[in-house]
């Protein structure tokens, strides 16, 4: 039976050893974990007595904080803090919160950076693969339609806080699928079980997730009200341990099928501008000239003829893919306007489809040049497509658009 004194001595020994390792590890000196562990331990009785000397040595190597936490699988200051908190209940409260500050939100979505892949803002499902980074990468590589964002989670405090803030910044997200491995790390994090407990039991008055088994399941940077709104916004689909993409995709599809739509009155702080697109009202001619696009089915090639605004052919670009052709066009400065580039990209895509399917290809009109208003665009009735010179005022060679 170990006595209280023996437990204390052992905790002091282990904590000193771990802090010594942090002193020797340059990566720890600008890390928020070490900064705040030192602050928290200094507030404890053992920190003012037996650990005072090693804490002073540690303070001496600290440099200006450069990051909150590197998320190292073995974190020396966290281990020091854990062993003291476990052995000395009176110190546990001071050491309970993860030794990190709240990160600063940026404009746009997601507001907080993290280990995730953004897929689509308007989709209803977020997926957390816990410690399985490969699984997140595979889902992002072939994302199902309902997937908005997929990422990992390594800590049951700051990591969960980031998920909550990033999800709440997007009212379209109504489901959180939890999957992948929830392995207990050497410093004691158990994020999957903690997140599941959050949905089942909520938080207590100190922000601690009830019945969470991780070492520091404290959401110190979120109020209970914010957590409550998050729990209303999102339904948890728990598949902890599931590693098969197809099973996860099946759950994403099932969730999407019962998507209730964006949360009304969501208290989002993100400033995402929703813009209703309108048709361009008038054609603005590119001073670099215009294009005639056609697919050459016999050679399986895309061909783009470039004409000056005077209607003089000056180059022909030939390639097997839209990317090859438009890259060449851009590098040779054959266009100068973004709307013209978008138009060319769309036409090349349609021409490529014609090569692949045998469908007839007809080059479309240029943006802002609806057929009914072609006279308005350049003052002649023959003006169609990306051919600003095909009128009396700007003579151009006559062209047949249907070259398929
Ligand atoms: S996470 Fe821990 S071990 Fe890693 S750099 Fe920060 S203090 Fe050091």
């Amino acid at each position: 039976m170990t006595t209280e004194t023996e437990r204390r001595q052992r905790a002091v020994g282990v904590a000193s050893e771990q802090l010594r390792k942090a002193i020797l590890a340059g990566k720890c000196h600008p890390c928020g974990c070490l900064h705040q562990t030192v602050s928290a331990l200094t507030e404890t009785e053992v920190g003012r007595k037996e650990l005072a000397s090693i804490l002073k040595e540690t303070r001496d190597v600290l440099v200006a904080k450069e990051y909150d936490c590197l998320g190292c699988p073995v974190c020396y200051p966290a281990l020091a803090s854990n062993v003291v908190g476990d052995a000395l209940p009176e110190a546990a409260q001071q050491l309970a919160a993860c030794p990190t500050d709240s990160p600063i939100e940026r404009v746009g979505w997601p507001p907080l950076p993290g280990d995730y892949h953004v897929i689509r803002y308007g989709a209803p499902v977020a997926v957390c693969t816990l410690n399985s980074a490969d699984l997140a990468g595979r889902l992002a590589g072939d994302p199902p339609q309902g997937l908005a964002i997929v990422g990992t989670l390594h800590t049951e405090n700051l990591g969960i806080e980031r998920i909550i803030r990033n999800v709440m910044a997007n009212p379209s997200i109504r489901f959180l699928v939890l999957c992948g491995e929830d392995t207990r790390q050497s410093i004691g994090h158990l994020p999957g079980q903690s997140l599941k407990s959050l949905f089942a039991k909520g938080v207590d008055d100190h922000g601690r997730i009830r019945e969470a088994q991780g070492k520091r399941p404290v959401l110190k940077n979120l109020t209970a009200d914010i957590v409550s709104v998050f729990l209303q916004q999102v339904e948890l689909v728990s598949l902890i341990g599931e590693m098969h993409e197809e099973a996860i995709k099946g759950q994403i599809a099932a969730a999407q099928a019962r998507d209730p739509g964006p949360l009304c009155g969501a208290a989002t702080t993100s400033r995402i501008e929703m813009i209703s697109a309108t048709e361009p009202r008038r054609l603005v001619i590119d001073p670099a000239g215009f294009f005639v696009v056609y697919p050459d089915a016999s050679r399986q090639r895309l061909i783009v003829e470039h004409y000056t605004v005077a209607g003089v052919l000056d180059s022909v670009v030939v390639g097997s893919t839209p990317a090859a052709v438009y890259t060449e066009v851009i590098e040779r400065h054959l266009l100068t306007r973004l709307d013209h580039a978008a138009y060319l990209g769309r036409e090349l895509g349609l021409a490529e489809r014609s090569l692949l399917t045998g469908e007839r290809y007809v080059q479309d009109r240029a943006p802002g040049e609806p057929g009914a208003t072609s006279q308005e665009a350049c003052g002649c009735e023959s003006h169609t497509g990306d051919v600003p010179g095909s009128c009396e005022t700007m003579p151009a060679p006559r062209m047949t658009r249907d070259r398929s």
Side-chain angles (χ1 to χ4, degrees):
M1 182 101 175
T2 47
T3 64
E4 193 178 317
T5 306
E6 286 168 338
R7 278 204 309 276
R8 185 177 179 110
Q9 284 175 345
R10 184 184 165 277
V12 167
V14 174
S16 299
E17 184 187 337
Q18 295 302 325
L19 288 173
R20 176 75 56 205
K21 288 181 180 174
I23 290 171
L24 295 174
K27 65 178 180 178
C28 298
H29 303 171
C31 184
C33 283
L34 184 57
H35 278 245
Q36 299 225 11
T37 297
V38 169
S39 303
L41 281 172
T42 303
E43 296 298 310
T44 62
E45 191 216 344
V46 72
R48 290 190 292 274
K49 293 182 177 172
E50 296 99 313
L51 291 174
S53 169
I54 187 74
L55 283 171
K56 178 177 181 316
E57 281 186 60
T58 313
R59 267 192 298 276
D60 287 345
V61 301
L62 292 179
V63 296
K65 198 171 82 174
E66 291 177 16
Y67 32 79
D68 284 331
C69 171
L70 280 191
C72 302
V74 176
C75 177
Y76 313 124
L79 288 171
S81 179
N82 285 353
V83 74
V84 172
D86 286 348
L88 308 171
E90 69 276 11
Q93 189 63 37
Q94 280 136 307
L95 301 171
C98 189
T100 51
D101 291 332
S102 176
I104 300 192
E105 293 196 3
R106 62 193 174 192
V107 173
W109 182 76
L112 296 178
D115 181 18
Y116 52 67
H117 308 262
V118 172
I119 309 298
R120 185 166 71 88
Y121 178 75
V125 184
V127 173
C128 170
T129 63
L130 298 169
N131 290 308
S132 304
D134 285 359
L135 180 58
R138 292 201 299 277
L139 287 167
D142 182 20
Q145 207 192 10
L147 183 58
I149 185 169
V150 53
T152 57
L153 173 67
H154 303 294
T155 61
E156 66 275 3
N157 34 58
L158 202 66
I160 291 179
E161 288 184 5
R162 282 177 197 259
I163 285 182
I164 291 175
R165 290 167 71 173
N166 282 337
V167 165
M168 288 184 69
N170 182 350
S172 300
I173 296 179
R174 305 307 306 272
F175 302 91
L176 176 59
V177 174
L178 206 51
C179 54
E181 290 179 341
D182 189 26
T183 47
R184 188 183 283 277
Q185 299 157 358
S186 64
I187 61 171
H189 289 314
L190 197 59
Q193 187 277 336
S194 301
L195 191 47
K196 202 172 163 189
S197 287
L198 177 67
F199 279 87
K201 304 291 179 181
V203 292
D204 67 16
D205 294 343
H206 303 289
R208 174 178 279 272
I209 301 171
R210 294 191 182 94
E211 298 187 17
Q213 293 164 16
K215 273 289 177 194
R216 295 183 179 83
V218 179
L219 308 182
K220 70 170 185 170
N221 300 304
L222 297 176
T223 65
D225 285 348
I226 289 178
V227 173
S228 165
V229 173
F230 168 72
L231 296 178
Q232 285 168 32
Q233 175 179 337
V234 176
E235 176 184 325
L236 181 72
V237 179
S238 178
L239 306 171
I240 293 177
E242 180 60 75
M243 296 292 290
H244 295 102
E245 291 136 75
E246 292 314 314
I248 297 163
K249 287 179 180 176
Q251 292 296 324
I252 294 171
Q256 186 186 18
R258 53 193 183 85
D259 175 17
L263 181 70
C264 287
T268 175
T269 55
S270 68
R271 280 152 281 174
I272 310 295
E273 193 178 3
M274 302 303 286
I275 302 162
S276 293
T278 55
E279 294 298 324
R281 282 192 289 276
R282 67 185 185 89
L283 171 70
V284 179
I285 293 172
D286 189 336
F290 60 92
F291 299 108
V292 170
V293 179
Y294 64 96
D296 181 347
S298 62
R299 292 193 300 149
Q300 285 292 295
R301 288 283 186 272
L302 298 166
I303 298 178
V304 166
E305 296 174 354
H306 180 257
Y307 292 82
T308 68
V309 289
V312 177
L313 177 68
D314 62 3
S315 45
V316 179
V317 183
V318 181
S320 54
T321 65
V325 174
Y326 67 61
T327 300
E328 203 65 51
V329 165
I330 291 167
E331 284 180 358
R332 290 170 184 274
H333 304 286
L334 299 179
L335 53 74
T336 63
R337 292 185 55 84
L338 292 178
D339 53 355
H340 203 191
Y343 165 81
L344 178 64
R346 183 189 65 174
E347 289 306 312
L348 285 168
L350 293 170
E352 182 187 42
R353 191 169 76 187
S354 169
L355 286 181
L356 296 172
T357 66
E359 279 176 31
R360 182 166 171 261
Y361 169 73
V362 180
Q363 186 172 347
D364 203 355
R365 297 180 177 90
E369 192 193 8
T373 57
S374 59
Q375 285 181 304
E376 188 183 304
C378 67
C380 80
E381 292 185 346
S382 62
H383 187 145
T384 57
D386 183 34
V387 192
S390 58
C391 61
E392 290 171 6
T393 53
M394 299 175 68
R398 285 210 62 79
M399 295 163 198
T400 305
R401 298 196 153 284
D402 182 0
R403 306 277 186 102
S404 58

